[in-house]
Amino acid sequence: ILNVEQSPQSLHVQEGDSTNFTCSFPSSNFYALHWYRWETAKSPEALFVMTLNGDEKKKGRISATLNTKEGYSYLYIKGSQPEDSATYLCALIQGAQKLVFGQGTRLTINP
Amino acid sequence: KAGVTQTPRYLIKTRGQQVTLSCSPISGHRSVSWYQQTPGQGLQFLFEYFSETQRNKGNFPGRFSGRQFSNSRSEMNVSTLELGDSALYLCASSPLPGQAYEQYFGPGTRLTVT
């Protein structure tokens, strides 16, 4: 069974601080990695889709890196704001082309 | 552009009944995927449809089925409901098949089985 691990499970950060969290996955048969942000009472929103080893993507204050050889991706948030409070999900596709989600990192920004 | 819509938003059913959930994708999107979200298991892939054909299926029993219509709208059906089927059911659309493309999620249908 494919295992996508996210750490930490939850995180409390002061407003203005920067933070990062990890998505770990088996490195074999890698196809693509997705990051989603899921705010309470809303739908999951796509942040990034990453396919190449060494990929770095950025959207505003949020960025992500990908290392397919060692099986991990980092998501960084610079200068956290209250609106960044959400659960951040990563999801992996291997050769079977089925998205497998991690359990998520629940981020809370304290004002 | 209107987002993905799902109906109904909330549903209460009794064990043994069946239920049908509906999903309308973003205009122009032809791929629709369904997911189940439970506190214990997280978000799990159910199936993906493209051009009215099921392209991929997750590890769920045959009680879970779906279909897609020529206008790309999709329905999923769960027969003989069990208590463990209580969950948030999300559908997502994308312009092309294969889940390498970002998924645009709907608001979900919250199903409670009593």
Side-chain angles (χ1 to χ4, degrees), chain B residues 57-99:
Chain B
K57 191 175 191 310
N59 297 324
F60 281 82
R63 301 184 297 107
F64 291 82
S65 62
R67 58 178 176 166
Q68 186 180 36
F69 302 95
S70 58
N71 62 357
S72 296
R73 190 177 70 84
S74 177
E75 289 181 347
M76 68 162 279
N77 184 77
V78 188
S79 63
T80 320
L81 284 165
E82 300 177 0
L83 294 178
D85 297 332
S86 294
L88 178 68
Y89 291 88
L90 291 165
C91 86
S93 72
S94 64
L96 292 169
Q99 295 177 303

Side-chain angles (χ1 to χ4, degrees), chain A residues 1 31-34 36 38 41-51 59 89 93 96-103, chain B residues 9 35 37 39-45 48 55-59 88 90 98-108:
Chain A
I1 296 175
Y31 194 86
L33 186 97
H34 295 215
Y36 291 88
W38 196 354
K42 293 189 178 180
S43 311
E45 172 198 357
L47 290 171
F48 307 113
V49 176
M50 309 176 81
T51 55
K59 187 184 278 191
L89 294 167
I93 301 179
Q97 297 269 309
K98 300 179 189 182
L99 260 181
V100 177
F101 283 84
Q103 293 289 327
Chain B
R9 294 291 310 278
Y35 301 88
Q37 204 259 349
Q41 297 295 320
L43 202 53
Q44 291 186 286
F45 168 71
E48 181 199 5
R55 289 191 77 250
N56 228 330
K57 191 175 191 310
N59 297 324
L88 178 68
L90 291 165
Q99 295 177 303
Y101 300 94
E102 64 183 35
Q103 305 280 290
Y104 293 80
F105 284 88

